[in-house]
Amino acid sequence: MSAALLASAACNALDRIISVPLSPPIATISMNAQSSGGGFVTAPIALFYRAVDNSQVIFTSVGTPDDMCHVRSVNNSGLVNIVDTLPTAASPVSAGAFATMQLSGHSDTLLAPGPQSVAYHAAASVPFVPGDMATFTIPGSSSGFPSATVSLMTAEAFTMDTVRFAPSGQDVPLNWTPASAPGSVLNFTINYVVGPTTSQIYCQFVDDGHASLPAALFATFPNVNPGALIGFDAIRMRTALVQLPGSGAVVNVISVFEFPTPRSP
């Protein structure tokens, strides 16, 4: 079975693949925004591992947005879930006793995994301003992941206009707050039910604040109507995919801001 590192529902944004008997050390650090009070918090998670047994590792990366949509079936409610998953054929490695993060004037520690965990994580959510720079420092281990420092501009907050369905045969317009700087994509999903099947229209757009869902997508499912909709979800994503010189180790940092934005527990 291939070992796929899928950091978000935006898993079509792929630009590099590694397939070797034993991969170099790999780190994936994911952070998503949650609303809390009048602001936002995040709880970064870092995974350090090597892929083994000729596993294929797929890195989620902004790359070049394809500015296209397609239809796919989903096996659950269809709602977007932002989760990092450790590949099946993988061996965890140490990156030291902890990693650190600098973000929005705060310094926080991502503690090493305990007996019941495989991820480095903060003890609590960290308040931050979406769009600020995040810098992760990995002390490293001589027998595991090497020392490294990687920075990333976090995904900015945004809102999206109400999705209104045009008359039959017309595209559905989408409008949102555009990105403040290059380097992000906007991933959009709309989920609906036709009979016993839950389906999803998945799109990835240039993050310039406007796009449309082609009418042809809905023509494929003539029974689709607003009453069949489960909901929609939009995700701004920024990534930093870096291969370290010398060791060949790979660091992939993924920051997302989701609308509607989930609330912090």
Side-chain angles (χ1 to χ4, degrees):
M1 180 180 295
S2 292
L5 177 59
L6 303 178
S8 76
C11 57
N12 290 64
L14 309 173
D15 67 356
R16 298 190 191 181
I17 295 177
I18 289 178
S19 183
V20 292
L22 179 65
S23 79
I26 297 170
T28 176
I29 304 173
S30 60
M31 51 191 304
N32 66 305
Q34 297 178 319
S35 63
S36 179
F40 300 97
V41 298
T42 187
I45 295 175
L47 302 172
F48 298 91
Y49 65 96
R50 293 179 188 268
V52 298
D53 300 331
N54 287 297
S55 299
Q56 187 181 77
V57 181
I58 303 175
F59 295 98
T60 297
S61 176
V62 167
T64 303
D66 55 23
D67 221 27
M68 294 178 62
C69 300
H70 65 269
V71 177
R72 60 189 182 188
S73 296
V74 293
N75 296 321
N76 50 31
S77 66
L79 298 179
V80 172
N81 190 24
I82 307 301
V83 177
D84 274 348
T85 55
L86 190 67
T88 302
S91 176
V93 300
S94 173
F98 59 85
T100 60
M101 176 185 69
Q102 300 286 334
L103 176 63
S104 294
H106 299 278
S107 179
D108 203 38
T109 300
L110 278 62
L111 300 175
Q116 305 302 317
S117 174
V118 296
Y120 286 63
H121 57 86
S125 296
V126 180
F128 82 115
V129 177
D132 282 355
M133 292 294 297
T135 298
F136 293 91
T137 301
I138 303 164
S141 168
S142 59
S143 59
F145 199 91
S147 61
T149 299
V150 179
S151 296
L152 170 73
M153 176 181 175
T154 57
E156 311 97 297
F158 72 99
T159 60
M160 174 170 274
D161 292 351
T162 301
V163 179
R164 301 187 184 281
F165 286 85
S168 177
Q170 295 184 21
D171 294 348
V172 176
L174 302 175
N175 294 282
W176 66 92
T177 312
S180 62
S184 66
V185 295
L186 195 287
N187 299 281
F188 180 83
T189 57
I190 189 164
N191 308 286
Y192 54 89
V193 174
V194 178
T197 303
T198 299
S199 295
Q200 180 182 86
I201 295 173
Y202 168 79
C203 308
Q204 184 186 90
F205 297 122
V206 173
D207 196 358
D208 57 7
H210 57 86
S212 61
L213 302 176
L217 292 174
F218 298 94
T220 306
F221 298 94
N223 295 325
V224 171
N225 58 72
L229 298 179
I230 296 175
F232 76 88
D233 201 280
I235 300 173
R236 171 169 286 150
M237 180 174 69
R238 291 185 177 275
T239 63
L241 181 57
V242 179
Q243 187 159 33
L244 304 179
S247 67
V250 177
V251 183
N252 194 24
V253 185
I254 307 107
S255 170
V256 296
F257 187 98
E258 187 176 6
F259 180 84
T261 310
R263 290 195 59 80
S264 178

